[in-house]
Amino acid sequence: MWTLISASPSPYARKVRIALAEKGIPFTLQTEVPWDGATVTPQYNPLEKLPVLILDDGECVYESHYILEWLEAKHPEPALLPSDIDERLFAKKVEVVCDGMCDAMVIAFFERMREPGKQSEPWKARQMRKVEGGLRQLSTWVEKREGQYLIGDRLTIADLAIAAFLGWFAIRWSEHQWQSQYPKLKQYWEGLEALPHFKETRPSPQTIKDQVV
Ligand SMILES: N[C@@H](CCC(=O)N[C@@H](CS(=O)(=O)O)C(=O)NCC(=O)O)C(=O)O
């Protein structure tokens, strides 16, 4: 059986967990804290990042957007990408924005972990601008949707990416007022979070023991 190296808050890993569940692929969930010295993550990814999908023959598939692409190629049903090429490319573009917002939040999170006198305010502001710009963009896209899903009438990686970012953002930065600022984005997100495979993969914070920055 495959193993997925994951972390309890990881929005990147959540995309993969939902995709595997949607495709009915059984796997063992191995929860790690990739920042702690004791993690096994570097044994499976030279970039030392999770998620990592470890196959039965020991091959490792890593980088969430690539894992999803790999899954679509190897296990195409049910598809998590639209058949129309422009819609497929749009779904991947949405994932680019969501992953980028996650990246910016990770950078800001660790900048805030530095001693107060050593934090760079311009650097933090730059990361938060990316999140604010991304929220505006997601809101614009979501307002144009017809039904429960962002693209067409079925779940795609675009929905996985948006819910993964917003679900993590809601616990990592609970004081941000995005839900009142963008009520239609909130309503769309809540609709996704009510789905079974989203419910069972809700993020939760983790304790990082070792010094990271
Ligand atoms: N681009 C990567 C980002 C993955 C990532 O940053 N994972 C974090 C954990 S989490 O933020 O998702 O919880 C990690 O392993 N970080 C360890 C490191 O960067 O050394 C992906 O999409 O898979």
Side-chain angles (χ1 to χ4, degrees), residues 21 62 112 123 195:
Y62 37 74
R112 283 203 289 255
W123 184 239
L195 297 170

Side-chain angles (χ1 to χ4, degrees), residues 1-7 16-17 20 25-32 51-56:
M1 185 185 291
W2 295 352
T3 296
L4 180 70
I5 298 184
S6 174
V16 178
R17 293 169 66 188
L20 289 165
I25 300 170
F27 65 98
T28 302
L29 186 69
Q30 182 172 332
T31 299
E32 291 278 325
V52 182
L53 189 60
I54 307 169
L55 309 180
D56 296 337

